[in-house]
Amino acid sequence: MLASKTKGVFIEVSEFSILAAVTSSLNAPYNIESLQECPVDVELEEIQEFVADLAEIKARGYLTGRCSVYPKSRFVRRTTLESPAKAKDPAYLGDLLTNQFRIDPAKNGVAVVNAVNGTEFDTEKNMQAQKELVFCGASSEELQDIQDRVVEWGIYPETLEIGSLTGLGGLKNYLEWKKIRYPTLVLEITPENSNIFILSSSQIDIARPIPYGLTSMFPTIKSELGLKDEESARKLFFSNTFDFTEMGPALLKKMLKELQASTGFYEVQTGQTIGQIYLTLLPTNFNWMHNTLSRALGVDMLHLDYPGWLNHMGLTTEEGVQLETLDSRWLGLFSLMGNYNEEEDGAKKA
């Protein structure tokens, strides 16, 4: 049974936390009434209570919401079709995904979208205009498991989006609004691995995974601090009681090598210089990574003007909603709420 409340709820679920916004409606234009956060690694009852409190649901019922999630199996892969006309063959894109990226279409939910504007690939449209493509998706089994978990929390997901694409769609909208000319390096770090994206003013130029995440830093922490094992390093790393700023270059050495390789190749191939870096997802206690990477790569950090951007998208906020103090990880949630033009809405289509 769906709750009778007319309020809208937007939820982003990552490996770090659950971010939520309560709005006056699920359909724009709407007013943001509150922003809430809940740890993701707590008991089921605590999350259910958090969800119920979002829209003040007291009786048993499901809260209708729009959700973005980050399955561990998610993928975002960029490609250029050398012969776009071949894609009219229904088997062509599936074979390309299998052979080039080693992803099995039979085991994954897959969307194919235009790298320029995010619209869904359509063989009935101009094929030459669709040669720059992005494959995105995740394991069908994991997506079903996540949906079941969200429903168990008390949320009926009206939509369930891959957060990586949602955030890129929102950030592209932001860069266009701010008229930021230089390409942006976007880094999505998770415990086990990371994703590198380069977003220019016109399209997603690069999307590639790298095999280094937060856990790859534990051996260095153990060695540098003389800890007895990597479990001790993990606990200290997530405890928010130790400042890792000074150790930052050593911890991020492998990741920096990958970033420098990607940005160097990109700048040589395109003649464009990376202008800024943006890190998504990471909790506030990892802000030292932003500073370390910015200095090492010689690029500025991108700080989002949330009040201006939300106003640009036609969203208003209650007086008590403090946007100025929010960090970079709120990009994904606001991107999910974005009131984009339907023809240009990459995040929603994906």
Side-chain angles (χ1 to χ4, degrees), residues 149-192:
R149 180 155 50 109
V150 169
V151 170
E152 190 176 26
W153 291 346
I155 301 170
Y156 177 82
E158 184 180 87
T159 60
L160 192 70
E161 303 180 14
I162 301 293
S164 302
L165 261 290
T166 303
L168 288 174
L171 188 56
K172 184 174 184 295
N173 180 272
Y174 181 89
L175 297 175
E176 291 171 348
W177 167 63
K178 277 289 190 179
K179 296 181 172 58
I180 295 177
R181 183 164 61 94
Y182 291 105
T184 301
L185 173 63
V186 182
L187 182 59
E188 182 183 272
I189 303 176
T190 66
E192 299 303 328

Side-chain angles (χ1 to χ4, degrees), residues 7 55 75 294 311 322:
K7 294 183 185 296
F75 55 86
S294 173
N311 182 65
Q322 300 296 319

Side-chain angles (χ1 to χ4, degrees), residues 37-88:
E37 180 176 1
C38 177
V40 75
D41 56 349
V42 295
E43 296 296 327
L44 171 62
E45 292 76 12
E46 188 172 336
I47 298 180
Q48 289 174 329
E49 183 177 349
F50 168 77
V51 169
D53 288 345
L54 285 175
E56 301 174 353
I57 297 174
K58 302 303 181 186
R60 180 175 176 80
Y62 290 98
L63 189 62
T64 302
R66 293 181 181 166
C67 307
S68 64
V69 297
Y70 294 84
K72 292 182 180 180
S73 61
R74 69 188 179 282
F75 55 86
V76 181
R77 302 290 187 270
R78 175 76 162 79
T79 192
T80 298
L81 299 181
E82 295 182 3
S83 303
K86 291 183 178 180
K88 286 185 175 292

Side-chain angles (χ1 to χ4, degrees), residues 81 84-88 112-114 117-131 133 341-345 349:
L81 299 181
K86 291 183 178 180
K88 286 185 175 292
V112 185
V113 299
N114 194 310
N117 58 23
T119 53
E120 191 171 358
F121 181 80
D122 186 348
T123 56
E124 299 302 317
K125 295 182 178 180
N126 181 351
M127 299 301 289
Q128 191 63 31
Q130 301 181 91
K131 68 176 184 177
L133 297 180
N341 181 293
E342 286 300 318
E343 288 300 312
E344 299 176 352
D345 182 4
K349 294 294 184 183

Side-chain angles (χ1 to χ4, degrees), residues 203-335:
Q203 64 183 359
I204 299 173
D205 282 329
I206 285 181
R208 62 176 290 249
I210 56 177
Y212 305 116
L214 299 181
T215 57
S216 67
M217 304 177 195
F218 298 164
T220 303
I221 296 173
K222 173 181 174 293
S223 174
E224 292 283 333
L225 298 180
L227 302 177
K228 63 178 182 179
D229 52 33
E230 291 185 16
E231 177 59 21
S232 299
R234 186 193 69 80
K235 289 179 179 178
L236 181 63
F237 189 72
F238 288 105
S239 68
N240 198 23
T241 59
F242 187 89
D243 186 358
F244 286 95
T245 301
E246 188 174 336
M247 204 184 299
L251 296 181
L252 293 166
K253 183 177 180 180
K254 292 180 180 178
M255 194 172 295
L256 267 169
K257 187 175 181 181
E258 295 283 350
L259 291 172
Q260 289 165 340
S262 293
T263 56
F265 176 81
Y266 175 79
E267 291 177 347
V268 168
Q269 291 294 310
T270 66
Q272 298 188 79
T273 301
I274 301 297
Q276 50 281 322
I277 184 172
Y278 192 85
L279 273 65
T280 64
L281 294 181
L282 291 177
T284 306
N285 56 308
F286 294 126
N287 280 347
W288 57 268
M289 290 190 193
H290 302 238
N291 298 320
T292 299
L293 292 171
S294 173
R295 286 195 299 268
L297 295 170
V299 297
D300 294 331
M301 290 187 292
L302 177 63
H303 298 283
L304 298 193
D305 171 13
Y306 287 128
W309 183 39
L310 295 186
N311 182 65
H312 161 70
M313 294 192 293
L315 308 181
T316 58
T317 59
E318 290 291 323
E319 186 175 342
V321 177
Q322 300 296 319
L323 300 175
E324 293 82 1
T325 59
L326 298 179
D327 56 29
S328 62
R329 66 205 168 103
W330 291 84
L331 164 71
L333 183 67
F334 291 140
S335 298

